[in-house]
Amino acid sequence: MGKQVYIIHGYGASPSNHWFPWLKEKLIADNHQVSVLHMPNSSDPKKEEWLKTLANKIKNLDNNAYFVAHSLGSITLLNYLEQLDPLLGFGGFILVSGFAERLSSLPSLDPFTVEKVDYQKIISAANSRAVIAAKDDYIVPCELSQNFSKQLDASFYSVEKGGHFLEDDGFITFQLVYDILNNMMKAV
């Protein structure tokens, strides 16, 4: 039976950017349902608007629900999950170039990271957790993604050269995300 996968893009992106369309096609070919969420005003994101978008688009959070979030989409997803009461168990997530600390290069994103996340609540609900980062990420330092991974008690995958995993970095496909997600969905 197919799973429901939600793909959440980051700052300055859209559902048609980077490796999101490729991942969607691959997963649909495997009989999964896929939603690539369109986050509003991605070049000037507002936390409340992004959280509202997730609240409106995410249906049936259960063991068949999985998330793939990139960059700012990662902390937005955690903020969303944390405010659910109760937060029911769900399949899991892969956070690519994720962070939960202030990015000095992008102070406009501070509202997303001001409040500390209740990691324990999220760990107990997510069956599988993974974080992917590139050692040469020039937007989100690899250490931030690594810290994020530790706090989430997630598997950490570091890539030597990937930059921020954008189209400009050569990422219009992303086999690692697909492979990890497949393993997560089979492990259940």
Side-chain angles (χ1 to χ4, degrees):
M1 198 184 112
K3 311 287 187 194
Q4 171 69 56
V5 181
Y6 295 96
I7 301 173
I8 305 166
H9 67 72
Y11 173 75
S14 81
S16 57
N17 287 141
H18 315 313
W19 39 271
F20 312 134
W22 173 84
L23 184 60
K24 179 181 180 179
E25 291 309 312
K26 291 272 286 185
L27 293 168
I28 287 174
D30 295 339
N31 290 321
H32 298 301
Q33 290 178 305
V34 186
S35 305
V36 186
L37 305 186
H38 191 286
M39 306 307 283
N41 304 320
S42 77
S43 52
D44 183 21
K46 301 282 178 270
K47 184 177 173 184
E48 291 65 37
E49 290 179 2
W50 278 40
L51 290 174
K52 196 169 156 193
T53 299
L54 295 189
N56 291 335
K57 300 290 183 202
I58 296 170
K59 309 286 177 232
N60 305 336
L61 190 63
D62 59 25
N63 287 327
N64 287 316
Y66 290 82
F67 298 91
V68 176
H70 180 243
S71 195
L72 186 62
S74 301
I75 186 67
T76 306
L77 172 64
L78 297 190
N79 283 321
Y80 165 73
L81 292 170
E82 183 184 44
Q83 66 183 16
L84 296 177
D85 190 20
L87 172 55
L88 303 171
F90 63 96
F93 54 71
I94 300 174
L95 308 177
V96 180
S97 301
F99 61 95
E101 299 166 62
R102 184 169 188 270
L103 293 181
S104 52
S105 59
L106 289 167
S108 64
L109 305 184
D110 286 358
F112 286 85
T113 56
V114 167
E115 291 162 37
K116 288 287 163 254
V117 174
D118 179 352
Y119 291 102
Q120 213 42 59
K121 177 175 180 177
I122 291 166
I123 291 169
S124 51
N127 299 329
S128 307
R129 300 173 302 284
V131 173
I132 301 175
K135 292 182 177 168
D136 62 348
D137 193 321
Y138 48 89
I139 296 177
V140 176
C142 190
E143 304 78 74
L144 296 192
S145 295
Q146 211 165 354
N147 295 346
F148 200 36
S149 166
K150 285 183 187 135
Q151 288 173 296
L152 285 164
D153 190 22
S155 310
F156 185 67
Y157 299 83
S158 97
V159 175
E160 280 301 320
K161 292 202 173 330
H164 198 54
F165 302 110
L166 306 174
E167 250 161 89
D168 294 350
D169 302 317
F171 281 82
I172 49 172
T173 67
F174 203 161
Q175 193 65 40
L176 181 60
V177 170
Y178 177 74
D179 292 343
I180 295 170
L181 190 58
N182 252 335
N183 290 336
M184 279 183 179
M185 296 193 288
K186 285 183 183 137
V188 180

